[in-house]
Amino acid sequence: MGEFELIRRFFAAASCAQAGGEVALGIGDDCALLTLPAGEQLAVSTDTLVAGVHFPDPCDPSLLAQRALGVTASDLAAMGATAIGFTLALTLPQAGADWLAAFAGGLNQAAERHGLRLIGGDTTRGPLSLTLTVFGRVPAGAALRRSGARPGDLLCVGGSLGDAAAALPLVLGQQQLPAALAEPLLARYWQPQPQLALGQALRRLASAALDISDGLLADAGHIAASSGVALCIEQARVPLSPALQLLPREQVLRGALSGGDDYRLLFTLPPEHLAELQAQWPELAVLGRVEVGCGEVRLLAEDGRELPQPVGGYQHFGQDRD
Amino acid sequence: MGEFELIRRFFAAASCAQAGGEVALGIGDDCALLTLPAGEQLAVSTDTLVAGVHFPDPCDPSLLAQRALGVTASDLAAMGATAIGFTLALTLPQAGADWLAAFAGGLNQAAERHGLRLIGGDTTRGPLSLTLTVFGRVPAGAALRRSGARPGDLLCVGGSLGDAAAALPLVLGQQQLPAALAEPLLARYWQPQPQLALGQALRRLASAALDISDGLLADAGHIAASSGVALCIEQARVPLSPALQLLPREQVLRGALSGGDDYRLLFTLPPEHLAELQAQWPELAVLGRVEVGCGEVRLLAEDGRELPQPVGGYQHFGQDRD
């Protein structure tokens, strides 16, 4: 059996993990075919992960697959979309059966968890990289956008921040921590959990949303710019997970403010919807508020004083990540 | 201006080349949004092209972009889909302004020619490669499949074969030809023309179809296997372009039978539709017929004798192309 045939067999499980639904035709012809329910739109997003730029090489292939699918599916969450499926373009220098089995296992596990079915792809030889394109559906006109934030709205985040940034020195082998401390951090890095259900709930409540991939301050800037407002973030309200409480506070805070890879939803919310949402999503936190402005993001101390923002101090994995 | 900002500006033209239509939201948010007309399905296909495997490196960036989009859009033609848009995941080691301008120029030109709008993408640093995902629409249930060929149908091809194979030694710098001879061949390699209009016309006529990317015999095998039939190809009926008539006949024939990259549609057709189709598409050729069988492809001489098929004799660009 050729190795590309081997790859197809390994990936067959993910292509069948979710039955029927919007996938009228999956892998095996020139195109996949998707059917949308009446009144729904298709949401599409593409992400590429390159070895040595977006992940260390070598790394655990199962974790790589889980990270790649989680990262890409997070864009569906950010639009409030319901997951349908994905294509995988996998380029790899050679394909050992062990590597492929582990990769396919991780991919299938993440696909099932996120409700995504593998509908097509391409496998090519070359330097290791992955491009995933994800598909979701959303009622026409109801997708969450970055551009709807209005002065008076609250600025909220879907959960704690900074874990993935704290994991990065561990991922890079620059730091060692006891397993009990390291494991939850590494899980946040390698197995990001796109907040798909929260995104769907936000469709009729939030005024703007995105997922935090580049860091809280940078991504808040995207909402502020798209909406033509200012966002004020109270530093003391940035939620940190218990896993971070044993690490140096300055490092933790910098990671939570400027570190990427958390894949929490950041959104703006008319205040009257807060109680309803918190009842169902107790882990969400109010970070601050939307004010009149032109794309500014302000970081505030508890006394309302504006704080300097960490600039360029945070090490992404790879200098030129984009 | 950062180079990734530069890239975004260069690509802006392709994202606006086609107005509105099915693209409800293009580049700039977490996802693009597509709207489908009632009763239509979305067709999706992904292709990756890696430097040194699928194209020589260095090469003309404008031609590279045109080839990448043509190759990928050909999968839409093979399903009979109408083009909507595409995403581009571009990984490149560095981004000189000249390279980017030329690449974007070629991309925009091909996007306009094929009716495709750039709706999203990702730009990353790494070894040069491109992954394109194309989107089209097709009336529900009307997509051309590989599996519908029936004994008694004719086997047809959308135009001449072998030009791209004959171009390969030129592309690789292994052969030199006078410009008048080389140029039409190189154009077929670098600027493949997906047969989108023919594919749409075939939706109500053909019983099975695909596009020839791996070579006539190999791709005929896919229709034969999917449909559970035998395909008989009369070697003398394989159409060769005038550009090939000055080259050695054995090389030309081998390229036409086993060389990839032609991106002509190969399809099976109930005989009663031939006259109608030929009136509109005079360049199409009947290659043979569909017979009872189990996935075989037979190559026949004019006297009906079965001919040996060229095996492994054709050099794809890169050994492990898939």
Side-chain angles (χ1 to χ4, degrees):
Chain A
M1 193 187 308
E3 62 185 295
F4 289 108
E5 177 57 25
L6 207 64
I7 290 169
R8 287 184 194 105
R9 295 206 178 187
F10 278 127
F11 291 159
S15 71
C16 302
Q18 306 289 321
E22 294 84 6
V23 183
L25 181 66
I27 291 175
D29 215 301
D30 292 286
C31 290
L33 294 173
L34 300 180
T35 309
L36 284 181
E40 303 230 337
Q41 291 175 313
L42 189 85
V44 180
S45 183
T46 293
D47 273 314
T48 296
L49 288 84
V50 180
V53 179
H54 303 88
F55 59 89
D57 183 25
C59 68
D60 178 325
S62 168
L63 293 176
L64 173 60
Q66 292 177 64
R67 176 162 160 73
L69 195 58
V71 164
T72 314
S74 184
D75 284 321
L76 295 179
M79 300 294 278
T82 301
I84 295 178
F86 68 106
T87 59
L88 168 66
L90 176 62
T91 300
L92 69 181
Q94 71 280 324
D98 289 351
W99 194 97
L100 283 172
F103 183 89
L107 190 73
N108 296 344
Q109 189 183 322
E112 192 158 353
R113 190 187 310 131
H114 307 322
L116 285 162
R117 183 170 162 189
L118 182 64
I119 62 165
D122 194 11
T123 310
T124 50
R125 187 176 299 278
L128 180 61
S129 79
L130 307 83
T131 296
L132 288 89
T133 304
V134 290
F135 305 97
R137 60 181 172 80
V138 66
L144 294 166
R145 302 283 304 275
R146 298 176 171 187
S147 53
R150 294 293 167 260
D153 290 346
L154 301 172
L155 177 66
C156 304
V157 66
S160 61
L161 296 173
D163 285 5
L168 201 54
L170 311 177
V171 170
L172 294 172
Q174 295 168 346
Q175 192 182 0
Q176 297 254 325
L177 288 177
L181 200 53
E183 278 166 12
L185 300 179
L186 287 168
R188 279 290 298 281
Y189 181 86
W190 283 114
Q191 296 158 304
Q193 299 301 319
Q195 300 194 290
L196 288 157
L198 175 59
Q200 290 160 39
L202 290 178
R203 279 204 308 254
R204 56 182 187 85
L205 301 176
S207 51
L210 51 60
D211 65 318
I212 300 179
S213 56
D214 292 336
L216 171 61
L217 294 172
D219 285 318
H222 293 139
I223 290 183
S226 294
S227 299
V229 296
L231 296 185
C232 297
I233 297 172
E234 297 173 44
Q235 183 168 284
R237 302 179 81 164
V238 174
L240 307 172
S241 75
L244 295 177
Q245 289 173 3
L246 294 177
L247 296 177
R249 176 156 173 83
E250 198 195 339
Q251 175 200 336
V252 164
L253 201 58
R254 190 192 294 180
L257 291 171
S258 303
D261 298 321
D262 278 315
Y263 299 100
R264 301 296 196 189
L265 294 188
L266 180 70
F267 56 97
T268 58
L269 188 74
E272 61 270 27
H273 296 317
L274 182 63
E276 174 188 353
L277 205 59
Q278 275 184 322
Q280 203 185 344
W281 308 92
E283 67 277 25
L284 78 79
V286 176
L287 295 176
R289 60 195 182 280
V290 182
E291 295 191 347
V292 173
C294 303
E296 309 90 329
V297 175
R298 295 192 194 100
L299 185 64
L300 304 178
E302 282 179 81
D303 60 6
R305 188 172 38 95
E306 189 163 350
L307 295 169
Q309 298 182 21
V311 177
Y314 181 74
Q315 182 202 9
H316 274 303
F317 186 76
Q319 282 297 89
D320 294 296
R321 197 175 85 146
D322 201 281
Chain B
M1 194 187 308
E3 64 185 293
F4 288 109
E5 177 56 27
L6 207 65
I7 290 169
R8 286 184 195 104
R9 296 207 176 185
F10 278 127
F11 291 160
S15 72
C16 302
Q18 305 290 322
E22 295 83 6
V23 183
L25 180 66
I27 290 175
D29 214 302
D30 292 286
C31 291
L33 295 173
L34 300 180
T35 308
L36 285 180
E40 304 231 338
Q41 291 175 314
L42 189 85
V44 179
S45 183
T46 293
D47 272 313
T48 296
L49 288 84
V50 180
V53 179
H54 303 88
F55 58 90
D57 183 24
C59 69
D60 179 325
S62 169
L63 293 176
L64 172 60
Q66 293 176 65
R67 174 161 161 72
L69 196 57
V71 164
T72 314
S74 184
D75 284 321
L76 295 178
M79 301 295 278
T82 302
I84 294 178
F86 69 106
T87 59
L88 167 67
L90 175 62
T91 300
L92 68 181
Q94 71 278 323
D98 289 351
W99 194 97
L100 283 172
F103 182 89
L107 191 73
N108 296 343
Q109 189 183 324
E112 192 158 353
R113 189 188 309 132
H114 308 322
L116 285 162
R117 183 171 161 190
L118 181 65
I119 62 165
D122 195 10
T123 310
T124 50
R125 186 176 301 278
L128 180 61
S129 80
L130 305 83
T131 296
L132 287 88
T133 304
V134 290
F135 305 97
R137 60 182 172 79
V138 65
L144 294 166
R145 301 282 304 274
R146 298 175 172 188
S147 54
R150 295 292 167 260
D153 289 347
L154 301 172
L155 178 67
C156 305
V157 67
S160 62
L161 295 174
D163 284 4
L168 201 55
L170 312 177
V171 170
L172 294 172
Q174 295 168 347
Q175 192 183 359
Q176 297 255 326
L177 287 177
L181 199 53
E183 278 166 13
L185 300 179
L186 287 168
R188 279 290 298 281
Y189 181 87
W190 282 115
Q191 296 158 303
Q193 300 300 320
Q195 299 194 291
L196 288 156
L198 174 59
Q200 291 160 38
L202 290 179
R203 279 205 309 256
R204 57 181 187 83
L205 302 175
S207 51
L210 50 60
D211 63 317
I212 301 179
S213 55
D214 293 335
L216 171 62
L217 294 171
D219 286 317
H222 293 139
I223 290 182
S226 294
S227 299
V229 296
L231 296 185
C232 297
I233 296 172
E234 297 173 45
Q235 183 169 283
R237 301 179 81 165
V238 174
L240 307 173
S241 76
L244 295 177
Q245 288 173 4
L246 294 177
L247 297 177
R249 176 155 174 84
E250 197 193 340
Q251 175 201 336
V252 163
L253 201 57
R254 189 192 296 180
L257 291 171
S258 303
D261 298 321
D262 277 316
Y263 299 101
R264 300 296 197 190
L265 294 187
L266 180 70
F267 56 97
T268 59
L269 188 75
E272 61 270 25
H273 295 317
L274 182 63
E276 174 188 352
L277 206 58
Q278 274 185 322
Q280 204 185 344
W281 307 93
E283 67 276 27
L284 78 79
V286 177
L287 295 176
R289 60 195 181 281
V290 183
E291 294 191 347
V292 174
C294 302
E296 309 90 328
V297 175
R298 294 192 195 100
L299 186 63
L300 304 177
E302 283 180 82
D303 61 5
R305 186 171 39 95
E306 188 163 348
L307 296 169
Q309 299 181 21
V311 176
Y314 180 74
Q315 181 204 8
H316 275 303
F317 187 79
Q319 283 298 88
D320 294 296
R321 196 176 86 146
D322 201 280

